[in-house]
Amino acid sequence: MAPDMGTAVETELGLVYGPSGKQLDAYRPAGASGAAPTVLLWHGIGPDERDVLEPLARTAAAHGLLVLVPDWRSDAADGGRAHLLESLAFARKEAGGLGGDGESCVLAGWSAGAGAALGVALRRESVEGWRPRAVVGVAGRYDLPARTTGTAPLADLDAGREPGVPVHLVHGSRDPVVEARYSRDLAEALRAAGRTVPLQEPDTDHAGVIMTAYDPATDRCVPTTAEHAVRAGRMVAEVLAEAAVGGGAA
């Protein structure tokens, strides 16, 4: 289990979040008073793998955040779009009852979830004009169609669209699955449009950046205590907290 820096974290697991009947898990600091800054955190392309993000979600919650981690299925007929947008609708409506603030919510994602998160900010019409407080992309590709919008974030940027909110990027420098150049390309495109985009590249791989290790036997990422992964996960948690509290440079 990922370290929680001494802050107790409580969970609500298996909450049904929308008409599709999918489930999400909520992580928050125990005994917190007031509305906690909220993060909706989307997993990658593996169907229904919200458990993969548990170590990172716990670590982020220990920073004082409400972290919502939904399942979604990339193999659905629509590529997972309905699941992702249903989870966002749930976060906006129900985060208050879970101790958070749904209207001021950071959208974050790992791998395929990263492009999905940025896509929402670039195409506000997909969510009735709403925009997140900030976007955090972790080990993402942005030249592929976002699962939420069907268009590539880089193509949207080339067409003159703007995210309109701060964007924070983290990518393992030793990622063999999604090379770090994809995040560098996005950072360059955003900076060319005049935006300040923090990009951090911890010394880890695709699984390590979310405090896990890939297990070939199960074809899943599993929690690990490897130093590079713990260090990288703590970095991502800090980025999430910075984005949720301050938004960051836009």
Side-chain angles (χ1 to χ4, degrees):
M1 191 62 63
D4 64 8
M5 287 82 74
T7 300
V9 171
E10 60 186 22
T11 62
E12 288 191 50
L13 306 179
L15 298 171
V16 176
Y17 69 72
S20 298
K22 307 305 293 180
Q23 296 182 339
L24 63 73
D25 297 334
Y27 302 81
R28 59 179 174 248
S33 59
T38 300
V39 175
L40 178 61
L41 179 60
W42 286 332
H43 65 70
I45 204 167
D48 292 344
E49 287 193 343
R50 72 185 194 274
D51 60 295
V52 165
L53 291 174
E54 179 182 3
L56 174 59
R58 284 186 176 275
T59 304
H63 282 270
L65 307 177
L66 169 66
V67 184
L68 305 177
V69 186
D71 274 338
W72 65 279
R73 294 195 69 91
S74 61
D75 57 358
D78 64 355
R81 182 176 187 272
H83 298 154
L84 292 162
L85 295 184
E86 285 174 18
S87 72
L88 175 55
F90 177 94
R92 292 177 62 191
K93 182 179 179 182
E94 305 294 344
L98 294 168
D101 180 357
E103 284 305 302
S104 181
C105 174
V106 170
L107 265 187
W110 168 65
S111 198
L118 182 57
V120 169
L122 287 165
R123 289 186 170 262
R124 296 177 65 184
E125 66 273 18
S126 66
V127 287
E128 301 174 338
W130 179 86
R131 267 186 176 147
R133 181 177 182 86
V135 169
V136 178
V138 181
R141 277 190 70 166
Y142 306 96
D143 61 330
L144 298 176
R147 297 281 172 158
T148 44
T149 64
T151 59
L154 279 172
D156 279 342
L157 287 168
D158 287 343
R161 286 182 175 261
E162 281 280 334
V165 299
V167 177
H168 303 253
L169 302 174
V170 184
H171 210 123
S173 62
R174 296 187 284 108
D175 191 333
V177 178
V178 178
E179 295 177 12
R181 65 183 174 89
Y182 291 108
S183 286
R184 295 176 196 143
D185 288 348
L186 176 65
E188 288 177 9
L190 287 165
R191 288 166 184 163
R195 305 186 73 82
T196 300
V197 183
L199 167 59
Q200 300 195 60
E201 297 186 35
D203 181 25
T204 191
D205 56 19
H206 197 63
V209 80
I210 57 164
M211 285 180 147
T212 65
Y214 177 66
D215 176 19
T218 59
D219 191 29
R220 292 176 70 85
C221 293
V222 298
T224 182
T225 56
E227 182 180 354
H228 68 91
V230 170
R231 187 169 55 245
R234 285 176 172 168
M235 176 187 291
V236 174
E238 289 168 2
V239 170
L240 291 170
E242 177 187 350
V245 174

